[in-house]
Amino acid sequence: DGGITQSPKYLFRKEGQNVTLSCEQNLNHDAMYWYRQDPGQGLRLIYYSQIVNDFQKGDIAEGYSVSREKKESFPLTVTSAQKNPTAFYLCASKSGSTDTQYFGPGTRLTVL
Amino acid sequence: GQSLEQPSEVTAVEGAIVQINCTYQTSGFYGLSWYQQHDGGAPTFLSYNALDGLEETGRFSSFLSRSDSYGYLLLQELQMKDSASYFCAATLSGGATNKLIFGTGTLLAVQP
């Protein structure tokens, strides 16, 4: 089955630690996106990538970093510089021919 | 700035029709999408309007008026399973990138 996977579903980290969230897709989509969602809020764009080895900052990139070494993978690192990292993180991908984004199941990160 | 406004909550009864409105202020507007998100889940695509008018997909319809910077999602024959958050999202054409800017979401509660 084609789709997007994110792991783990729940993640706990101590304050000051970097943590990397996984996102993998086998939909052969070129574009991939990372969003953050806070309770009762909409989705805010952190980073996005249109092609391998290229990515751009979204609206709230500070304290985050990404890489796109493979088409299938777009991991997000939440660094210790992110002041309020506890949130629900969603990864999405999109083919070039449509505007529809397909979302993974999300990772709920809690920083203690 | 770029923003999309939606009502925060809507309540309706089973079998009824409900309309969720969305007004937007964006530059480089390309189209309007609607996504459904059940509590704790991933957003799933419902509908997309690139042109003015009504798009119908089963019980769901979506409307766009570019001149009014306005759209709505119409849900008919409401079912309990339709209780969820609904987000409008504007596709922005920025070079090779089609970013999505999400509204803050409308929580729909369907009552028996």
Side-chain angles (χ1 to χ4, degrees):
Chain A
D1 283 340
I4 303 176
T5 57
Q6 292 184 244
S7 61
K9 189 165 179 61
Y10 298 95
L11 190 55
F12 296 88
R13 279 294 181 268
K14 291 184 180 179
E15 196 172 336
Q17 289 182 333
N18 291 359
V19 59
T20 298
L21 281 58
S22 165
C23 177
E24 304 278 332
Q25 54 99 359
N26 59 5
L27 299 167
N28 200 33
H29 287 170
D30 288 312
M32 297 186 73
Y33 305 80
W34 272 105
Y35 294 91
R36 170 187 172 131
Q37 186 176 32
D38 293 284
Q41 302 286 318
L43 282 69
R44 292 183 291 167
L45 182 64
I46 305 173
Y47 266 98
Y48 59 99
S49 169
Q50 291 294 105
I51 56 173
V52 175
N53 292 322
D54 187 50
F55 48 82
Q56 287 81 41
K57 292 182 179 179
D59 301 317
I60 55 164
E62 186 175 349
Y64 300 98
S65 66
V66 293
S67 63
R68 187 84 187 276
E69 297 176 2
K70 298 186 301 183
K71 188 176 185 177
E72 302 80 17
S73 179
F74 191 40
L76 173 75
T77 297
V78 184
T79 75
S80 57
Q82 169 49 233
K83 291 182 173 44
N84 186 17
T86 294
F88 188 43
Y89 289 88
L90 287 156
C91 178
S93 71
K94 182 182 84 68
S95 77
S97 59
T98 76
D99 288 320
T100 302
Q101 292 191 11
Y102 296 88
F103 286 83
T107 292
R108 195 166 296 279
L109 173 65
T110 302
V111 175
L112 307 170
Chain B
Q2 322 242 40
S3 65
L4 292 90
E5 303 247 346
Q6 307 176 233
S8 59
E9 293 183 25
V10 173
T11 301
V13 297
E14 248 183 321
I17 299 172
V18 72
Q19 179 174 312
I20 299 174
N21 298 321
C22 174
T23 57
Y24 59 87
Q25 286 188 322
T26 64
S27 57
F29 177 85
Y30 196 75
L32 192 69
S33 302
W34 289 90
Y35 287 80
Q36 177 192 61
Q37 185 182 32
H38 285 99
D39 192 27
T44 56
F45 171 78
L46 291 177
S47 189
Y48 175 69
N49 294 72
L51 303 174
D52 282 3
L54 193 68
E55 291 283 341
E56 297 181 74
T57 310
R59 293 189 297 116
F60 296 170
S61 304
S62 59
F63 173 83
L64 175 65
S65 169
R66 288 171 169 267
S67 59
D68 296 320
S69 298
Y70 164 76
Y72 66 72
L73 179 70
L74 192 73
L75 297 85
Q76 303 181 70
E77 301 172 18
L78 280 174
Q79 302 173 10
M80 297 297 290
K81 67 178 182 179
D82 296 329
S83 293
S85 291
Y86 292 84
F87 295 89
C88 58
T91 298
L92 307 183
S93 55
T97 303
N98 279 356
K99 298 196 305 182
L100 283 182
I101 302 294
F102 283 81
T104 51
T106 299
L107 182 61
L108 170 64
V110 179
Q111 297 177 340

